[in-house]
């Protein structure tokens, strides 16, 4: 069962997700990142949103503790805020989100396998 702080933090993180944003831990800092491409109007609106910036600055320690505690992560939350991508994964994600050619890193392989024992396979 979640306490009041956890419920408040979950509501805040849900609000961020609805705005296409996520918090990420970088060392001892919290970084607010877009989860998808934002228009310049959306970026300006977020920069001027005192509710978000004030909440993050006033609750930094609580947010760091909450996000770094893996037991709070569920499949419905944004796992990016807990697990960092490797450099290669970050590059692939960047090109997928911002590239002109979607599916640039999609690879498919098909093969026929014969003479196998289904129970062993």
């Amino acid at each position: 069962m979640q306490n009041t702080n956890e419920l408040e933090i979950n509501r805040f993180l849900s609000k961020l997700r609805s705005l296409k944003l996520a918090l990420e831990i970088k060392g001892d800092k919290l970084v607010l990142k877009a989860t998808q491409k934002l228009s310049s109007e959306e970026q300006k609106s977020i920069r001027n949103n005192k509710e978000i910036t004030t909440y993050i600055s006033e609750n930094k320690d609580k947010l760091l503790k909450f996000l770094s505690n893996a037991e709070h992560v569920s499949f419905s939350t944004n796992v990016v805020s807990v697990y960092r991508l490797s450099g290669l994964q970050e590059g692939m994600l960047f090109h997928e989100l911002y590239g002109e050619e979607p599916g640039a890193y999609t690879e498919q392989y098909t093969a026929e396998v014969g003479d196998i024992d289904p129970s062993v396979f």
Side-chain angles (χ1 to χ4, degrees):
M1 188 164 172
Q2 294 182 327
N3 66 38
T4 306
N5 283 338
E6 291 172 345
L7 289 172
E8 180 184 315
I9 290 171
N10 272 323
R11 279 194 289 272
F12 178 73
L13 295 175
S14 291
K15 180 177 182 170
L16 290 182
R17 280 192 296 277
S18 72
L19 296 170
K20 305 175 196 170
L21 301 170
L23 280 175
E24 184 177 295
I25 298 173
K26 293 261 185 184
D28 64 343
K29 295 181 182 183
L30 284 171
V31 178
L32 185 63
K33 288 191 165 191
T35 57
Q36 48 186 290
K37 189 172 183 175
L38 300 174
S39 69
S40 57
E41 289 176 6
E42 289 172 314
Q43 291 174 20
K44 184 178 179 182
S45 172
I46 291 164
R47 279 190 207 103
N48 295 327
N49 188 325
K50 296 297 180 196
E51 181 183 356
I52 292 174
T53 55
T54 302
Y55 185 88
I56 293 171
S57 63
E58 290 178 355
N59 296 283
K60 178 186 175 191
D61 292 334
K62 290 179 190 176
L63 288 164
L64 282 168
K65 184 177 179 181
F66 183 86
L67 292 172
S68 63
N69 188 349
E71 74 183 44
H72 294 291
V73 177
S74 70
F75 291 107
S76 64
T77 62
N78 186 352
V79 179
V80 172
S81 64
V82 177
Y83 299 105
R84 293 186 189 148
L85 296 175
S86 71
L88 177 63
Q89 290 170 321
E90 284 181 353
M92 291 172 69
L93 179 60
F94 173 83
H95 288 290
E96 181 65 29
L97 294 175
Y98 298 103
E100 294 178 19
E101 186 179 329
Y105 288 99
T106 302
E107 187 172 326
Q108 188 173 14
Y109 176 77
T110 306
E112 282 190 35
V113 181
D115 291 335
I116 64 168
D117 182 354
S119 64
V120 174
F121 185 68

